[in-house]
Structures are given as structure tokens and as C-alpha cells.
Amino acid sequence: MMISERWSGQVRQTDCAPDLDDAYDVIVVGLGTAGAMAAIRAARLGMRVLGVERMHAMGGAGTLGGVTGYYFGTRGGIYEEMDRQTAELEAASFLKAGGVNAAAKSIVLERAAAQAGVDFHYESVVLGVIMEGRRVVGLRWTGPLGIRRSGCRVLIDASGEAEVCALAGCETRQGRDIDGQVQPFSNVVQRLSGHKVVHHYTDSGYVDAADPEALSRAIVESSLLETHLKPVYEEEPLLLKVVPQLGLREGRLIVGEETVTFHDFIEERYSGQPLFYAYSNLDNHSKDIAFESEAQQDWTVVAGLWGLNFTVPIPMGSHIPRGTEGLLVAGRSLSLDHDLAGCIRMKRDMQKSGEAAADMAYLSIRKGCSLKELPYEELRPLLEETGCLERDKGVEFKDSSMPAEHGYLTRKWLTDPAEIRQELAGTKPGIAIWSARRLGGQLAAELREWMAEAAEEEEEHLMKHSAMALGLIGDPAAIPALRRIVEERDMFVPYTSRKYNQVRGYAAIYLLGKLRDKQIVPELLRILRDPDALPDLPPEERNWEFISDSQELYFQYASYSVMALLRIGDGHPELRDSIAAAIRDWLGQPELALRISFKGSRVIKYAMQDRTRMIVEKHLSGWSRSVSEAP
Ligand SMILES: Cc1cc2nc3c(=O)[nH]c(=O)nc-3n(C[C@H](O)[C@H](O)[C@H](O)COP(=O)(O)OP(=O)(O)OC[C@H]3O[C@@H](n4cnc5c(N)ncnc54)[C@H](O)[C@@H]3O)c2cc1C
């Protein structure tokens, strides 16, 4: 047997004696949003369960973290029973709260865990993972009673940070490809408004939660934010407290037996064996979208589909760290890419992830088979029994800006060219742009025709949106119209989504970069060099949550221009020296101010010079390497 522990920040494996203090079927680390459900469900299925939680209550982000509201996610599963009981307890004993009452929910979870027979321990943390080869067989942990070594047949890592997986030496990934940046964290405060307890989030910074010093600094800085520490509270809402758990949206993600990626999703490659369906939009809180993946920019910048919600089937393999036995993950560190991590993280779905992990653990123990070999046909009835997996559900898209009688309007991709043309001619063209992308080459001739006709008839939207669709397909015929959009500094914001729509001018810059259009280079350099030459965003382009002032508008234009220049340099090696020199020149200006605020908050500004420099230099070093490696 080996024990894998962290010493001064480094994971070290040493031999250990095979004696254990106790033995469980299932150990759950972290009794938060996902972990509480995992522990309760596993115990209800007759498993002997140990729960280890470092805080002093259950529920994690949803209780101590003050994230009390639900934002999408799918219905069904045992969390609904917990929420019903929470509502009853609140009505009987608590001050009314917005969303699901955090204090009442902790009690309900504790009661359910105790009734089911979970042996749970607060103020307790993981010290090490006990392993036999690649199989996890136990946990070394400590709590108020001191250090214990507990054996298990399956360990569920629901720490939200894949902490156990990292200790067990599993491969993990973090943040976006270009620079590893995760989503911003929030400071969450609890307030009293009338007789109601409410929680308020302020996106306030970026942190790598695996770096303990950075995390402590973020907690302190977030507690001292001027947004809630006003000199005097004269009016309601009154401040009750800063919650004890920092609002971390994204951290380590495991590399699992199966990874669910946004790229696969938009290419319509889905799992046919879901544990449950996750449901939300691509809810990335960052504003520097020019540094996100092309898949994300195609979707949110060109098509403006930020507000299109979708269901994603979540497979078993996304819960199993690759190459391990006896280990599962539940909660927000599933095997996803960074793009989808913005969507597959909502509380309803994370609770389902915990429940599904418990079902997997139970079945593998009952059958004595590996987690990787679980027969789906035997797992499915367990998932369906509680509603964790809804029968007859499939992949669907809902337009969150269009209310229908029961929730939001279901949208289908368009296939009829006449309908696509009609929507491209309007101010809400996103579904048509994406529908055209799906049809690809089949629709290219029509798009070219519409573009030419519209130019003659001066039908601006049809001409420009057809060009954007064509650009997304990769057809160079779009280039002249896209150049025109850039040259005009077109500030029109198509209203496809309920918010966070993107300006057409920089969407065109992005596309010209993708199309490697070298003629646009001088225009892009003009944009960089003259921040004052951009027109204002007209007041009717109601987009202040994304672009709150002219500095932010400049950052958007500049960041898209830089990324387009780098892509053009990728495609035209003869331009690399001049592009590199021009960008370095621009970034070297002492007076350069690149600043953005966080979504929903105009108060906190974030300086972007260093990040932009880092991204540019990384890209340019790739160019130097390709020269030195040339034969
Ligand atoms: C600011 C913010 C706003 C959000 N808004 C919404 C919203 O409006 N609606 C919505 O549905 N979702 C929202 N989300 C998303 C959602 O709240 C989270 O993604 C989800 O709750 C994460 O669940 P989890 O189980 O992975 O992590 P958590 O709920 O954080 O649980 C992890 C648990 O593990 C424990 N733990 C960690 N490390 C250890 C260790 N080493 N040993 C023992 N215990 C450990 C922690 O104390 C915690 O209890 C929001 C998230 C944030 C941060």
C-alpha cells in the first residue's frame, strides 16, 4: 500500500502499513452541493458511508457560500425532496430568505444524512489518499479527534477542487487554453432587506484556488471590498455578513475516462448514456472573450448565443478520473473543457452529479465490478427511480429571452433557406447564423447571393449577417463585407440574447482573423493606435453590463484586433516580423490603459495590460520556435 500526501505543496508517495482504523463502502470528501447528495443517496442505498467536510455545515456553495438561488439546471432527483423540506422548515422557523434558505437547508441535509446513517465529520480535512497501485482504497484524514485512516471501496471526491484526485496523482486541467485563467470569483454578502435575508454576488477578481497564498489574499481582499463596506449603512438592505465560503466558479477539472467538450457539443456529438442532463447557457463571467476558445467566440460573439440555454447529456466517464479505480468525482470538477465548465456547474445539476456518483458507487460495489465497466442498463433504472435522469429527455435548446407558457421558448435550428434569410435580415440573427453554420457549404451559394442582393438593395442587416454566417463557414467571399463592417466601426449590437450581446464591429474583426485576411492588417493597427477614434456605443445599444464605458469598448476592439493580427500572422509567416513589432510597440506604450470591469459591476476595474502582454508573448514565442525548428 502507498499513501499519497502533500508536503510543502508537493505530492509525495510513500509506502504505508496495510492496517486501517475503520472500513466504509463509500467515503465522500466535501459535503457541499454535490457531496451532501452523494452521501445521503449512498447511505439510503444501504452503503456504509463516511463524510468528511472541512467546514461546519453541509451544502457548500449553496449554504455557507450564500448561492441560494437556482439558475437553470434540470429538475428531478433527491435534491427536490430536500428543497421541499427546506421550504417547510423555513416557513415554520426561519426569517424568509431569497431562493432556498441556506440555514434551513443545512439543517435539512444534516437531518437526512443522520437518518440515512451517514457517519459525517465537520472541521475535518483530507491529509492523504491510500492506494494500491492505481486503486484508491482509503483516506487519511484529520478532524477534532485527530488523524484517522479509513478504508473504502469507492471514494467520491466532491471537494469542488478535485483535491483528492490531485493527491491521487490524477491528471487535471484548469482554465482556458490560452492562459489557464478560470472564471472570476465573487464576493458574496448576506443582507437584510425588509424582513428578508438576501444574498448578493459581486464578481471581484481572479484566483487560482489551488494556490493557498493567492486564495487567502483573495478572501481578505474580497472581504474588504468597498462595494459592501460602505462608511455608513443608512438604508436597507443592511449588511449581515460576508459569507464564510468564497464564491469560486471554476477550479481544477479532472481528465476523465470521457471528457465533455463544447466543441463536441456544437458538432452534435453527444453521449447516448447520460447519468443526467445539465442545463444552462454558456455562462462565462469573464469579459475578455477575445482570449477564449474559437468555439466559444463562434457561439457567443458571432452568433450572439450567450442566452441560448441547452441541455447536455452527462456521461459516466466524466465522473471517473482516467486511469484510476475506486475513485469518482462529483460536482464542478467533472471532466469538462473550460467552455462547458461555464455551463455545467449549476446547483441543480451539481446535486444530480452527487446523486449519480452515489448510484455508480453503489452498483459497482453490489456487482463487484469496476466503475468503468458498469452496465448502463442496470444503472439507468436507479437514476430514473428518483428523477435524477428524466425519462424521454434529449438535447434541447431554449431561448432565455423569450418566455413561453411553460418556461422559455424551445428553439430549433432552421433548415428552410427562406426562414434563415428572414431572420438574417432582422435584429436578432443568432439562430439563423448558427443554422447557416450547421448547413455549411450547402447554404454558401444562397448566402453569397443574399449578400450581393442586400448590398444593392441597401439591406444592411441581411448583407452583414449573411457575411457573418459565411465567415463562420470559412468562406472567403465574406471578406469584403466583413472589412466594411470593421472600417465603419459598426457599433450595432444584434439582440439575439437577453444580455451580453456583442458589437458587430469586433465580431467581424474576429472573423477576419479566422479567415487570415492580410489586407485588414493596417486597419487593425489603426484601431490599436488610436483609442479615441472609436465612436461611442450608442445609448440604444443597451449593453452596459458588458461594455460600461469607452475604455471597455476600446479593450474589446483592441483585444479582438490583437488576436486577429496573431491569427493572420499564423497564416502568413512573411508578415510575422512586422506584426510582432507593431504589437510590441503598442503594448510598450507607458500610457496604454487596458481596463475592464466585471460583469454586472461597473465599480471594480481590472487592468488587462499584463495579461494581454503575456498572451501575446506566448503566441510570438511559438512563431520564433517555428522559425528555429524549420529545416
Ligand atoms: C458566486 C457564485 C454564484 C453562483 N450562482 C449560481 C446560481 O445563481 N444558481 C446556480 O444554480 N448555481 C450558481 N453557482 C454555481 C454553483 O453554486 C456551484 O457550481 C456549485 O454549488 C458547486 O458545487 P460543488 O459541490 O462542486 O462545490 P461546493 O458546493 O463548493 O462543495 C464543495 C465542498 O467541499 C468541501 N471541501 C473542499 N475541500 C475539502 C477538503 N480538502 N476536505 C474536506 N472538505 C473539503 C467544501 O467545504 C465544500 O463544502 C454560482 C457559483 C458561484 C461561485
Side-chain angles (χ1 to χ4, degrees):
M1 260 190 209
M2 306 281 287
I3 184 150
S4 195
E5 292 172 310
R6 205 181 293 280
W7 290 86
S8 304
Q10 301 297 319
V11 175
R12 224 195 274 162
Q13 279 205 337
T14 45
D15 288 331
C16 71
D19 46 323
L20 297 166
D21 299 316
D22 42 43
Y24 293 86
D25 294 315
V26 177
I27 296 179
V28 181
V29 171
L31 297 173
T33 312
M37 293 303 136
I40 293 166
R41 174 68 173 163
R44 284 183 177 181
L45 287 167
M47 303 283 96
R48 190 165 137 67
V49 180
L50 168 69
V52 176
E53 167 56 52
R54 72 174 169 198
M55 303 291 273
H56 54 278
M58 286 191 202
T63 57
L64 292 177
V67 180
T68 50
Y70 278 127
Y71 182 82
F72 306 117
T74 54
R75 305 294 302 269
I78 59 169
Y79 80 81
E80 294 211 316
E81 173 199 330
M82 305 295 146
D83 288 350
R84 270 194 302 277
Q85 290 177 16
T86 303
E88 284 162 18
L89 185 61
E90 178 189 56
S93 315
F94 280 85
L95 209 56
K96 181 102 191 78
V100 180
N101 189 306
K105 184 146 183 181
S106 291
I107 294 174
V108 166
L109 294 173
E110 281 165 358
R111 196 168 57 192
Q115 277 168 359
V118 178
D119 181 12
F120 59 89
H121 296 258
Y122 290 152
E123 317 271 355
S124 298
V125 289
V126 173
L127 293 175
V129 190
I130 304 168
M131 303 181 71
E132 276 175 359
R134 294 303 302 144
R135 172 178 289 280
V136 170
V137 294
L139 189 74
R140 185 163 181 264
W141 58 283
T142 185
L145 291 179
I147 296 175
R148 260 168 71 176
R149 289 160 31 114
S150 303
C152 63
R153 296 160 83 182
V154 176
L155 194 151
I156 300 177
D157 179 351
S159 64
E161 286 295 328
E163 174 57 16
V164 179
C165 297
L167 280 176
C170 305
E171 198 185 336
T172 57
R173 64 165 76 83
Q174 184 159 304
R176 55 191 185 190
D177 290 345
I178 205 166
D179 60 353
Q181 181 178 275
V182 295
Q183 288 218 37
F185 67 82
S186 268
N187 141 293
V188 183
V189 294
Q190 193 182 62
R191 292 173 171 165
L192 188 65
S193 179
H195 288 288
K196 200 169 172 187
V197 179
V198 292
H199 289 89
H200 182 80
Y201 324 133
T202 306
D203 292 9
S204 39
Y206 291 98
V207 69
D208 173 1
D211 173 345
E213 278 176 27
L215 183 61
S216 298
R217 215 170 28 247
I219 292 170
V220 173
E221 284 171 5
S222 150
S223 296
L224 297 176
L225 272 184
E226 61 186 272
T227 47
H228 62 264
L229 291 183
K230 300 180 195 167
V232 189
Y233 269 86
E234 281 162 348
E235 294 167 11
E236 291 192 338
L238 300 171
L239 181 65
L240 290 174
K241 65 178 177 191
V242 179
V243 303
Q245 182 175 322
L246 191 67
L248 299 169
R249 287 193 172 76
E250 186 184 351
R252 270 194 211 113
L253 302 169
I254 61 156
V255 175
E257 290 292 329
E258 192 171 347
T259 297
V260 191
T261 70
F262 186 57
H263 184 260
D264 280 347
F265 181 76
I266 59 180
E267 295 304 330
E268 301 177 23
R269 292 190 289 264
Y270 317 125
S271 165
Q273 299 194 330
L275 295 171
F276 62 94
Y277 284 85
Y279 170 64
S280 187
N281 57 330
L282 214 60
D283 189 20
N284 181 355
H285 280 237
S286 290
K287 281 190 174 179
D288 51 353
I289 306 290
F291 302 146
E292 296 287 349
S293 72
E294 291 201 13
Q296 191 173 148
Q297 293 184 69
D298 289 352
W299 182 264
T300 55
V301 181
V302 183
L305 293 176
W306 179 87
L308 191 69
N309 293 356
F310 46 88
T311 48
V312 187
I314 305 299
M316 286 193 275
S318 63
H319 286 60
I320 308 174
R322 193 161 67 194
T324 59
E325 290 292 341
L327 181 60
L328 287 171
V329 119
R332 68 179 162 85
S333 41
L334 296 181
S335 187
L336 310 167
D337 68 350
H338 159 77
D339 291 337
L340 268 191
C343 166
I344 303 170
R345 65 187 177 90
M346 301 311 165
K347 283 190 309 169
R348 287 191 173 104
D349 300 335
M350 296 303 94
Q351 291 176 102
K352 285 189 167 190
S353 160
E355 181 178 338
D359 287 351
M360 288 174 71
Y362 161 74
L363 194 61
S364 93
I365 291 169
R366 202 193 73 197
K367 290 191 72 73
C369 72
S370 153
L371 290 161
K372 286 175 221 158
E373 285 156 13
L374 283 178
Y376 183 70
E377 64 284 4
E378 290 186 47
L379 185 63
R380 189 176 179 111
L382 285 169
L383 298 161
E384 285 181 345
E385 168 192 294
T386 61
C388 180
L389 177 62
E390 297 147 284
R391 290 192 176 92
D392 307 322
K393 190 128 190 120
V395 172
E396 52 183 25
F397 297 87
K398 303 256 184 191
D399 185 341
S400 70
S401 65
M402 295 177 77
E405 203 182 330
H406 302 287
Y408 292 123
L409 194 71
T410 299
R411 292 298 314 250
K412 298 236 182 289
W413 300 122
L414 307 174
T415 49
D416 175 358
E419 283 182 75
I420 294 178
R421 186 186 192 284
Q422 194 182 347
E423 287 203 16
L424 288 176
T427 55
K428 201 174 171 307
I431 293 281
I433 291 177
W434 201 263
S435 300
R437 178 201 181 271
R438 286 181 77 246
L439 294 172
Q442 281 176 54
L443 199 75
E446 275 99 335
L447 287 167
R448 282 189 222 122
E449 215 173 277
W450 299 338
M451 219 170 50
E453 271 170 35
E456 262 175 40
E457 306 284 320
E458 294 188 13
E459 271 193 84
E460 187 187 10
H461 290 329
L462 179 62
M463 192 271 283
K464 291 180 173 174
H465 297 153
S466 300
M468 288 165 77
L470 211 48
L472 211 46
I473 294 170
D475 188 326
I479 288 176
L482 293 172
R483 281 189 201 138
R484 192 180 129 186
I485 298 175
V486 178
E487 283 154 10
E488 286 172 359
R489 307 285 188 272
D490 183 352
M491 291 294 162
F492 179 72
V493 181
Y495 295 124
T496 297
S497 290
R498 69 190 146 89
K499 53 184 181 175
Y500 306 145
N501 290 298
Q502 304 292 324
V503 177
R504 198 156 57 189
Y506 58 70
I509 295 177
Y510 163 68
L511 285 170
L512 287 168
K514 264 178 88 115
L515 291 165
R516 313 288 195 255
D517 175 34
K518 61 181 184 178
Q519 276 194 46
I520 199 67
V521 168
E523 194 65 34
L524 300 182
L525 293 176
R526 268 194 288 281
I527 290 172
L528 290 186
R529 286 172 185 150
D530 200 352
D532 300 326
L534 283 178
D536 283 341
L537 198 60
E540 67 274 15
E541 310 299 4
R542 288 155 291 138
N543 199 25
W544 75 263
E545 282 198 88
F546 198 80
I547 295 175
S548 62
D549 58 25
S550 57
Q551 245 182 3
E552 294 205 352
L553 183 63
Y554 174 63
F555 172 76
Q556 293 301 341
Y557 262 92
S559 56
Y560 282 98
S561 298
V562 166
M563 292 310 296
L565 287 164
L566 294 175
R567 288 192 178 102
I568 293 166
D570 289 341
H572 300 281
E574 74 284 5
L575 295 181
R576 288 180 184 173
D577 286 348
S578 59
I579 287 177
I583 300 180
R584 282 194 173 122
D585 222 33
W586 170 70
L587 278 170
Q589 300 171 91
E591 70 281 11
L592 182 71
L594 296 177
R595 228 168 267 143
I596 45 177
S597 60
F598 288 97
K599 274 186 178 173
S601 146
R602 280 183 270 194
V603 185
I604 304 166
K605 297 274 182 185
Y606 193 75
M608 291 300 295
Q609 285 97 308
D610 288 350
R611 181 161 297 278
T612 310
R613 268 187 206 111
M614 191 259 278
I615 287 169
V616 165
E617 287 306 329
K618 189 173 155 200
H619 200 102
L620 296 184
S621 71
W623 287 355
S624 322
R625 263 201 316 279
S626 67
V627 170
S628 62
E629 283 161 15

